[in-house]
Amino acid sequence: GGQVKVFSSNGASIVDLGAGTTLGNGYVATNSASDSSTRTLLGVDQKGTGRLEFDTQSQKALEIATGKLGTMELRIWNSTQAEVITLEDVQTGEDTTGGCGLMIHNSAGGVSATILPNDFGVGVFHGITIPIPMP
């Protein structure tokens, strides 16, 4: 559970090495020397799988980590912390092994469109386009 910190000349923490957080098997976190609210985290989680995370203004912006089915996922958030892109294995129908799914969210985090595999492994686009006149 040890930790090593590297500080800049102005006293800002710019690199953390350690274990004992949610990334129990070890992590490296780098922080911007000019802005401590921007950081990059690379680590190994409790299950022994990797995690890469980019935070800006103390909010998560991008994450590559273990998904719901135990395989790697990619998630991207906008500046209001709404998830806008999800790429991960999903379980469809009777298939318990899953298949890759892409979900595009709207600015509030709701689902706009998805591409999911059907029972035959073929990607199927699900979405609705409604033209809205602009004022």
Side-chain angles (χ1 to χ4, degrees):
Q3 189 177 44
V4 174
K5 287 186 175 263
V6 178
F7 296 93
S8 69
S9 60
N10 66 359
S13 173
I14 56 173
V15 177
D16 295 321
L17 305 168
T21 66
T22 56
L23 298 174
N25 292 326
Y27 67 93
V28 176
T30 60
N31 303 306
S32 169
S34 62
D35 179 8
S36 63
S37 68
T38 301
R39 88 176 173 154
T40 303
L41 178 72
L42 176 63
V44 179
D45 67 18
Q46 302 288 356
K47 297 178 182 178
T49 58
R51 173 184 212 82
L52 175 63
E53 182 179 309
F54 294 96
D55 298 349
T56 183
Q57 298 175 350
S58 300
Q59 296 181 331
K60 197 178 291 191
L62 180 136
E63 171 186 87
I64 299 173
T66 304
K68 296 173 187 161
L69 295 182
T71 57
M72 297 307 283
E73 67 174 10
L74 167 69
R75 295 182 185 277
I76 301 173
W77 288 265
N78 66 14
S79 61
T80 64
Q81 286 296 273
E83 191 171 330
V84 291
I85 300 288
T86 306
L87 179 62
E88 70 179 334
D89 270 355
V90 293
Q91 188 172 341
T92 58
E94 299 295 319
D95 182 9
T96 58
T97 60
C100 189
L102 171 65
M103 188 178 301
I104 301 168
H105 308 268
N106 61 33
S107 62
V111 178
S112 292
T114 60
I115 300 175
L116 297 170
N118 63 15
D119 290 337
F120 303 104
V122 177
V124 177
F125 175 81
H126 303 272
I128 298 173
T129 304
I130 301 171
I132 299 174
M134 299 299 289

